[in-house]
Amino acid sequence: MNAIDTLRSQVKGAEGLLPLRVLSASGQLGYGVPEEAFAEGLRRKPHFIGADMGSIDPGPYYLGSGNIATSEAQTRGDLKRLLTAARSLKVPLIIGTAGCAGAKPHLESVLQMVREIAREEDLHFNLASIGADMPREVVKKAINNGQVQALGAIPALTAHDVDESTHIVGQMGIEAFQRALNAGADVVIAGRACDTAVYAAIPGMLGYPLGPAMHMAKIVECASLCTTPGGRDALLATLDGDSFTVDSMNPIRHASPMSVAAHSLYEQDDPYHVYEPEGTLHLDSARYEQVNTHMTRISGARWEPAKHWTVKIEGAAKVGERALMLAGCADPRAIAAMKQILPAVEKTVRELTQHTVKESFEVYHRVYGIDGVFNWPTPPAVMPREVFVMVEIIARTAEAAKSVATVFKQFLLHHGFPGRISTGGNLAFPFTPPEVVTGPAYRFSAYHVMQVDALEPLFPVTIESL
Amino acid sequence: MGIKLIEIAKVIRSKNAGPTKLTLDLLFNDEAGYQMALASEALKPAAIASYYGLQSQQVQFIAYPQALAIKIAMDRKIVAGNPGDKDVYGAQQHSPLLEITL
């Protein structure tokens, strides 16, 4: 019997469905799974284990480059812990957004680790992988048909953006996971996926109402982040028809109605609605009730199926190669003048390199202590004693970027400005060389929503027996 | 003399909601503080827009009584992590709120 049919028989009670226990192992797999809480979660005999690996938060680099965001050793360790646990309990393991960004190279890296772990640990199971790379022709056709809309402040998507992107992924919903499970999967490793789909796909297949199931999924996908004090420990949700409870597997992390409700704010622009490919979750009617000092019961969320399926698409394109110039400054006069000095030096550097660097380049300067983090409308009332200066160059080649950074360093070091008293140099370098080449720089070329007629062709399922 | 936001809020945080939106979460210690903040002009879209150099229609204000919280969402001027950005996660864009008097 395949894994989903086994679950169907396990949750079938005389008077309807029995409570479904869902263990969220991690909100971001690959940074370590706290062992004590995870082990406690396994003792509660979950019906399945889920983990999310992904996020768009770390910026366009990972999607653009195809590199995974977490360290290989830590990722392998986490995968091994989850695979051995799920196989010893003989329950499904569902992992979403492989390797942070969920494009083909990320998915392949994670699948390769899973295959190696299975071989080393003598584990045997049906492994499903689900691709999330959007065919470029499909996206271009949708653009032409007016079926692609920007999500927030980003320009309208063009065919040129599509061509420039190194990777374009779509966020899959529950449909893709359900197809993988119907095909006999014990372990599902998905490319880019909605966080919620990892946890809502199975309840949806088993017949639990989708409103509470989706709300449960939305809360548990961050593991114990919805508790006080919040943390990364495993979280157990028990879905019981129209409501569910959340229970941190670390006894010091308590889920209160307030802490769970507040979690709906986290990284969402709207705490009342969650938009998924297959519909919208409405949370305005949600209720949060204290069960005991450690657990909260949640009910009342409503699921509205979509009239048209939509997929959030994410793309990243290379903008060039990046080099940095890093230095400190402790001279009060140089600090006071730094915001004027930097553009003046940039002008000099552009003149000096016009014949040697035969390509255009971009320069960004940030003065930590003054405006490195926030675009303050006015300078600070009192200037800081020290500042850190980072000059960033983006050029087509790393050689050009480094060359500009090197010239910039020298002319910033010796730039003369009115009132200068420290003529030995304007900068302190903690080490040399102070120019660093950091590799390719990317931009988000797509963060849009695309209306689609069919989900299945966009998210192909492949099954292999290990 | 008004009261400072930081005196009645237990959480004042910023974070992206996707790479094109920056959001601010304000969580309050009690109902009285929440109501005071809800009524204050200093947290309305026009005021928030002025702190962040935006137009007021680029700012949304959502009351969330379930958690005695206010969610403010706004456009990012630079898409997260694109060239010129200063805060990829948007986790350090809350500072202007620490100075606000309600």
PDB file of all heavy atoms in Angstrom, chain A residues 284-307:
ATOM      1  N   ASP A 284      -9.985  36.580   8.661  1.00  0.00           N
ATOM      2  CA  ASP A 284     -10.729  37.564   9.467  1.00  0.00           C
ATOM      3  C   ASP A 284     -11.669  36.889  10.456  1.00  0.00           C
ATOM      4  O   ASP A 284     -11.989  37.440  11.505  1.00  0.00           O
ATOM      5  CB  ASP A 284     -11.478  38.561   8.575  1.00  0.00           C
ATOM      6  CG  ASP A 284     -12.198  37.887   7.404  1.00  0.00           C
ATOM      7  OD1 ASP A 284     -11.955  36.672   7.191  1.00  0.00           O
ATOM      8  OD2 ASP A 284     -12.993  38.547   6.730  1.00  0.00           O
ATOM      9  N   SER A 285     -12.097  35.665  10.143  1.00  0.00           N
ATOM     10  CA  SER A 285     -13.029  34.953  11.030  1.00  0.00           C
ATOM     11  C   SER A 285     -12.313  33.967  11.962  1.00  0.00           C
ATOM     12  O   SER A 285     -12.962  33.193  12.667  1.00  0.00           O
ATOM     13  CB  SER A 285     -14.034  34.191  10.163  1.00  0.00           C
ATOM     14  OG  SER A 285     -13.345  33.444   9.163  1.00  0.00           O
ATOM     15  N   ALA A 286     -10.975  33.993  11.968  1.00  0.00           N
ATOM     16  CA  ALA A 286     -10.226  33.017  12.790  1.00  0.00           C
ATOM     17  C   ALA A 286     -10.380  33.317  14.281  1.00  0.00           C
ATOM     18  O   ALA A 286     -10.459  34.473  14.685  1.00  0.00           O
ATOM     19  CB  ALA A 286      -8.756  33.040  12.401  1.00  0.00           C
ATOM     20  N   ARG A 287     -10.430  32.233  15.073  1.00  0.00           N
ATOM     21  CA  ARG A 287     -10.520  32.368  16.529  1.00  0.00           C
ATOM     22  C   ARG A 287      -9.363  31.618  17.180  1.00  0.00           C
ATOM     23  O   ARG A 287      -8.952  30.551  16.715  1.00  0.00           O
ATOM     24  CB  ARG A 287     -11.848  31.787  17.041  1.00  0.00           C
ATOM     25  CG  ARG A 287     -13.072  32.610  16.659  1.00  0.00           C
ATOM     26  CD  ARG A 287     -14.352  32.034  17.251  1.00  0.00           C
ATOM     27  NE  ARG A 287     -14.591  30.648  16.832  1.00  0.00           N
ATOM     28  CZ  ARG A 287     -15.130  30.315  15.660  1.00  0.00           C
ATOM     29  NH1 ARG A 287     -15.474  31.246  14.787  1.00  0.00           N
ATOM     30  NH2 ARG A 287     -15.314  29.051  15.348  1.00  0.00           N
ATOM     31  N   TYR A 288      -8.857  32.204  18.271  1.00  0.00           N
ATOM     32  CA  TYR A 288      -7.711  31.636  18.977  1.00  0.00           C
ATOM     33  C   TYR A 288      -8.103  31.466  20.438  1.00  0.00           C
ATOM     34  O   TYR A 288      -8.480  32.436  21.089  1.00  0.00           O
ATOM     35  CB  TYR A 288      -6.507  32.581  18.856  1.00  0.00           C
ATOM     36  CG  TYR A 288      -6.148  32.925  17.417  1.00  0.00           C
ATOM     37  CD1 TYR A 288      -6.814  33.946  16.729  1.00  0.00           C
ATOM     38  CD2 TYR A 288      -5.153  32.231  16.742  1.00  0.00           C
ATOM     39  CE1 TYR A 288      -6.492  34.257  15.412  1.00  0.00           C
ATOM     40  CE2 TYR A 288      -4.823  32.538  15.426  1.00  0.00           C
ATOM     41  CZ  TYR A 288      -5.499  33.551  14.771  1.00  0.00           C
ATOM     42  OH  TYR A 288      -5.175  33.850  13.474  1.00  0.00           O
ATOM     43  N   GLU A 289      -8.041  30.231  20.941  1.00  0.00           N
ATOM     44  CA  GLU A 289      -8.452  29.988  22.328  1.00  0.00           C
ATOM     45  C   GLU A 289      -7.367  29.220  23.076  1.00  0.00           C
ATOM     46  O   GLU A 289      -6.808  28.247  22.551  1.00  0.00           O
ATOM     47  CB  GLU A 289      -9.737  29.148  22.374  1.00  0.00           C
ATOM     48  CG  GLU A 289     -10.945  29.798  21.730  1.00  0.00           C
ATOM     49  CD  GLU A 289     -11.946  28.745  21.282  1.00  0.00           C
ATOM     50  OE1 GLU A 289     -12.744  28.304  22.120  1.00  0.00           O
ATOM     51  OE2 GLU A 289     -11.889  28.344  20.108  1.00  0.00           O
ATOM     52  N   GLN A 290      -7.130  29.655  24.314  1.00  0.00           N
ATOM     53  CA  GLN A 290      -6.132  28.987  25.148  1.00  0.00           C
ATOM     54  C   GLN A 290      -6.632  27.591  25.537  1.00  0.00           C
ATOM     55  O   GLN A 290      -7.765  27.447  25.988  1.00  0.00           O
ATOM     56  CB  GLN A 290      -5.919  29.823  26.413  1.00  0.00           C
ATOM     57  CG  GLN A 290      -4.716  29.428  27.212  1.00  0.00           C
ATOM     58  CD  GLN A 290      -3.481  30.224  26.797  1.00  0.00           C
ATOM     59  OE1 GLN A 290      -3.500  31.429  26.723  1.00  0.00           O
ATOM     60  NE2 GLN A 290      -2.401  29.495  26.514  1.00  0.00           N
ATOM     61  N   VAL A 291      -5.799  26.549  25.347  1.00  0.00           N
ATOM     62  CA  VAL A 291      -6.153  25.194  25.798  1.00  0.00           C
ATOM     63  C   VAL A 291      -5.609  24.986  27.206  1.00  0.00           C
ATOM     64  O   VAL A 291      -6.294  24.533  28.113  1.00  0.00           O
ATOM     65  CB  VAL A 291      -5.574  24.124  24.843  1.00  0.00           C
ATOM     66  CG1 VAL A 291      -5.825  22.713  25.379  1.00  0.00           C
ATOM     67  CG2 VAL A 291      -6.150  24.297  23.445  1.00  0.00           C
ATOM     68  N   ASN A 292      -4.335  25.305  27.359  1.00  0.00           N
ATOM     69  CA  ASN A 292      -3.676  25.281  28.663  1.00  0.00           C
ATOM     70  C   ASN A 292      -2.497  26.250  28.565  1.00  0.00           C
ATOM     71  O   ASN A 292      -2.418  26.998  27.591  1.00  0.00           O
ATOM     72  CB  ASN A 292      -3.246  23.852  29.041  1.00  0.00           C
ATOM     73  CG  ASN A 292      -2.393  23.214  27.936  1.00  0.00           C
ATOM     74  OD1 ASN A 292      -1.569  23.887  27.322  1.00  0.00           O
ATOM     75  ND2 ASN A 292      -2.620  21.935  27.677  1.00  0.00           N
ATOM     76  N   THR A 293      -1.599  26.251  29.534  1.00  0.00           N
ATOM     77  CA  THR A 293      -0.535  27.263  29.509  1.00  0.00           C
ATOM     78  C   THR A 293       0.396  27.096  28.312  1.00  0.00           C
ATOM     79  O   THR A 293       1.124  28.007  27.952  1.00  0.00           O
ATOM     80  CB  THR A 293       0.326  27.199  30.789  1.00  0.00           C
ATOM     81  OG1 THR A 293       0.789  25.848  30.931  1.00  0.00           O
ATOM     82  CG2 THR A 293      -0.475  27.620  32.006  1.00  0.00           C
ATOM     83  N   HIS A 294       0.349  25.925  27.686  1.00  0.00           N
ATOM     84  CA  HIS A 294       1.332  25.634  26.616  1.00  0.00           C
ATOM     85  C   HIS A 294       0.719  25.616  25.218  1.00  0.00           C
ATOM     86  O   HIS A 294       1.429  25.790  24.235  1.00  0.00           O
ATOM     87  CB  HIS A 294       1.977  24.271  26.920  1.00  0.00           C
ATOM     88  CG  HIS A 294       3.109  23.928  26.017  1.00  0.00           C
ATOM     89  ND1 HIS A 294       4.287  24.643  26.009  1.00  0.00           N
ATOM     90  CD2 HIS A 294       3.252  22.952  25.085  1.00  0.00           C
ATOM     91  CE1 HIS A 294       5.115  24.111  25.101  1.00  0.00           C
ATOM     92  NE2 HIS A 294       4.507  23.094  24.528  1.00  0.00           N
ATOM     93  N   MET A 295      -0.589  25.370  25.124  1.00  0.00           N
ATOM     94  CA  MET A 295      -1.197  25.119  23.821  1.00  0.00           C
ATOM     95  C   MET A 295      -2.376  26.046  23.530  1.00  0.00           C
ATOM     96  O   MET A 295      -3.099  26.447  24.425  1.00  0.00           O
ATOM     97  CB  MET A 295      -1.710  23.671  23.740  1.00  0.00           C
ATOM     98  CG  MET A 295      -0.602  22.645  23.593  1.00  0.00           C
ATOM     99  SD  MET A 295      -1.190  20.993  24.019  1.00  0.00           S
ATOM    100  CE  MET A 295      -2.443  20.716  22.794  1.00  0.00           C
ATOM    101  N   THR A 296      -2.555  26.298  22.236  1.00  0.00           N
ATOM    102  CA  THR A 296      -3.686  27.117  21.790  1.00  0.00           C
ATOM    103  C   THR A 296      -4.471  26.369  20.716  1.00  0.00           C
ATOM    104  O   THR A 296      -3.881  25.629  19.924  1.00  0.00           O
ATOM    105  CB  THR A 296      -3.167  28.476  21.275  1.00  0.00           C
ATOM    106  OG1 THR A 296      -2.822  29.279  22.394  1.00  0.00           O
ATOM    107  CG2 THR A 296      -4.185  29.226  20.444  1.00  0.00           C
ATOM    108  N   ARG A 297      -5.805  26.554  20.731  1.00  0.00           N
ATOM    109  CA  ARG A 297      -6.663  25.962  19.705  1.00  0.00           C
ATOM    110  C   ARG A 297      -7.124  27.050  18.741  1.00  0.00           C
ATOM    111  O   ARG A 297      -7.472  28.150  19.167  1.00  0.00           O
ATOM    112  CB  ARG A 297      -7.875  25.254  20.340  1.00  0.00           C
ATOM    113  CG  ARG A 297      -8.825  24.636  19.305  1.00  0.00           C
ATOM    114  CD  ARG A 297      -9.902  23.766  19.947  1.00  0.00           C
ATOM    115  NE  ARG A 297      -9.356  22.572  20.579  1.00  0.00           N
ATOM    116  CZ  ARG A 297      -9.024  21.445  19.934  1.00  0.00           C
ATOM    117  NH1 ARG A 297      -9.184  21.357  18.618  1.00  0.00           N
ATOM    118  NH2 ARG A 297      -8.547  20.413  20.586  1.00  0.00           N
ATOM    119  N   ILE A 298      -7.084  26.735  17.458  1.00  0.00           N
ATOM    120  CA  ILE A 298      -7.383  27.722  16.422  1.00  0.00           C
ATOM    121  C   ILE A 298      -8.485  27.180  15.527  1.00  0.00           C
ATOM    122  O   ILE A 298      -8.467  26.004  15.136  1.00  0.00           O
ATOM    123  CB  ILE A 298      -6.118  28.029  15.589  1.00  0.00           C
ATOM    124  CG1 ILE A 298      -5.001  28.559  16.504  1.00  0.00           C
ATOM    125  CG2 ILE A 298      -6.404  29.055  14.495  1.00  0.00           C
ATOM    126  CD1 ILE A 298      -3.832  27.654  16.649  1.00  0.00           C
ATOM    127  N   SER A 299      -9.442  28.043  15.188  1.00  0.00           N
ATOM    128  CA  SER A 299     -10.543  27.612  14.326  1.00  0.00           C
ATOM    129  C   SER A 299     -11.035  28.803  13.512  1.00  0.00           C
ATOM    130  O   SER A 299     -10.578  29.934  13.706  1.00  0.00           O
ATOM    131  CB  SER A 299     -11.689  27.049  15.177  1.00  0.00           C
ATOM    132  OG  SER A 299     -12.157  28.066  16.051  1.00  0.00           O
ATOM    133  N   GLY A 300     -11.959  28.542  12.618  1.00  0.00           N
ATOM    134  CA  GLY A 300     -12.698  29.632  11.968  1.00  0.00           C
ATOM    135  C   GLY A 300     -12.159  30.144  10.651  1.00  0.00           C
ATOM    136  O   GLY A 300     -12.806  30.972  10.006  1.00  0.00           O
ATOM    137  N   ALA A 301     -10.966  29.691  10.215  1.00  0.00           N
ATOM    138  CA  ALA A 301     -10.441  30.188   8.933  1.00  0.00           C
ATOM    139  C   ALA A 301     -11.287  29.636   7.789  1.00  0.00           C
ATOM    140  O   ALA A 301     -11.808  28.525   7.858  1.00  0.00           O
ATOM    141  CB  ALA A 301      -8.987  29.766   8.762  1.00  0.00           C
ATOM    142  N   ARG A 302     -11.443  30.449   6.730  1.00  0.00           N
ATOM    143  CA  ARG A 302     -12.262  30.030   5.588  1.00  0.00           C
ATOM    144  C   ARG A 302     -11.407  29.938   4.332  1.00  0.00           C
ATOM    145  O   ARG A 302     -10.550  30.784   4.092  1.00  0.00           O
ATOM    146  CB  ARG A 302     -13.390  31.033   5.328  1.00  0.00           C
ATOM    147  CG  ARG A 302     -14.474  31.041   6.386  1.00  0.00           C
ATOM    148  CD  ARG A 302     -15.500  32.139   6.088  1.00  0.00           C
ATOM    149  NE  ARG A 302     -14.902  33.468   6.125  1.00  0.00           N
ATOM    150  CZ  ARG A 302     -14.795  34.271   5.085  1.00  0.00           C
ATOM    151  NH1 ARG A 302     -15.239  33.908   3.887  1.00  0.00           N
ATOM    152  NH2 ARG A 302     -14.238  35.459   5.200  1.00  0.00           N
ATOM    153  N   TRP A 303     -11.660  28.929   3.533  1.00  0.00           N
ATOM    154  CA  TRP A 303     -10.961  28.724   2.259  1.00  0.00           C
ATOM    155  C   TRP A 303     -11.900  29.045   1.106  1.00  0.00           C
ATOM    156  O   TRP A 303     -13.009  28.530   1.046  1.00  0.00           O
ATOM    157  CB  TRP A 303     -10.489  27.278   2.154  1.00  0.00           C
ATOM    158  CG  TRP A 303      -9.858  26.949   0.825  1.00  0.00           C
ATOM    159  CD1 TRP A 303     -10.402  26.199  -0.169  1.00  0.00           C
ATOM    160  CD2 TRP A 303      -8.579  27.351   0.359  1.00  0.00           C
ATOM    161  NE1 TRP A 303      -9.529  26.115  -1.237  1.00  0.00           N
ATOM    162  CE2 TRP A 303      -8.412  26.809  -0.945  1.00  0.00           C
ATOM    163  CE3 TRP A 303      -7.541  28.133   0.908  1.00  0.00           C
ATOM    164  CZ2 TRP A 303      -7.251  27.016  -1.702  1.00  0.00           C
ATOM    165  CZ3 TRP A 303      -6.396  28.326   0.156  1.00  0.00           C
ATOM    166  CH2 TRP A 303      -6.263  27.769  -1.131  1.00  0.00           C
ATOM    167  N   GLU A 304     -11.430  29.905   0.226  1.00  0.00           N
ATOM    168  CA  GLU A 304     -12.228  30.269  -0.958  1.00  0.00           C
ATOM    169  C   GLU A 304     -11.476  29.797  -2.202  1.00  0.00           C
ATOM    170  O   GLU A 304     -10.411  30.337  -2.520  1.00  0.00           O
ATOM    171  CB  GLU A 304     -12.411  31.796  -1.003  1.00  0.00           C
ATOM    172  CG  GLU A 304     -13.202  32.273  -2.187  1.00  0.00           C
ATOM    173  CD  GLU A 304     -13.067  33.794  -2.388  1.00  0.00           C
ATOM    174  OE1 GLU A 304     -12.326  34.448  -1.633  1.00  0.00           O
ATOM    175  OE2 GLU A 304     -13.696  34.294  -3.318  1.00  0.00           O
ATOM    176  N   PRO A 305     -12.004  28.798  -2.899  1.00  0.00           N
ATOM    177  CA  PRO A 305     -11.301  28.312  -4.098  1.00  0.00           C
ATOM    178  C   PRO A 305     -11.210  29.416  -5.156  1.00  0.00           C
ATOM    179  O   PRO A 305     -12.116  30.240  -5.272  1.00  0.00           O
ATOM    180  CB  PRO A 305     -12.175  27.155  -4.595  1.00  0.00           C
ATOM    181  CG  PRO A 305     -13.045  26.791  -3.441  1.00  0.00           C
ATOM    182  CD  PRO A 305     -13.244  28.038  -2.641  1.00  0.00           C
ATOM    183  N   ALA A 306     -10.105  29.415  -5.894  1.00  0.00           N
ATOM    184  CA  ALA A 306      -9.888  30.458  -6.904  1.00  0.00           C
ATOM    185  C   ALA A 306     -10.756  30.196  -8.128  1.00  0.00           C
ATOM    186  O   ALA A 306     -11.006  29.048  -8.488  1.00  0.00           O
ATOM    187  CB  ALA A 306      -8.424  30.483  -7.307  1.00  0.00           C
ATOM    188  N   LYS A 307     -11.184  31.309  -8.783  1.00  0.00           N
ATOM    189  CA  LYS A 307     -11.888  31.169 -10.060  1.00  0.00           C
ATOM    190  C   LYS A 307     -10.888  30.811 -11.153  1.00  0.00           C
ATOM    191  O   LYS A 307     -11.175  30.045 -12.060  1.00  0.00           O
ATOM    192  CB  LYS A 307     -12.603  32.477 -10.415  1.00  0.00           C
ATOM    193  CG  LYS A 307     -13.815  32.754  -9.537  1.00  0.00           C
ATOM    194  CD  LYS A 307     -14.625  33.921 -10.120  1.00  0.00           C
ATOM    195  CE  LYS A 307     -15.810  34.261  -9.234  1.00  0.00           C
ATOM    196  NZ  LYS A 307     -15.397  34.972  -8.004  1.00  0.00           N
TER     197      LYS A 307
END
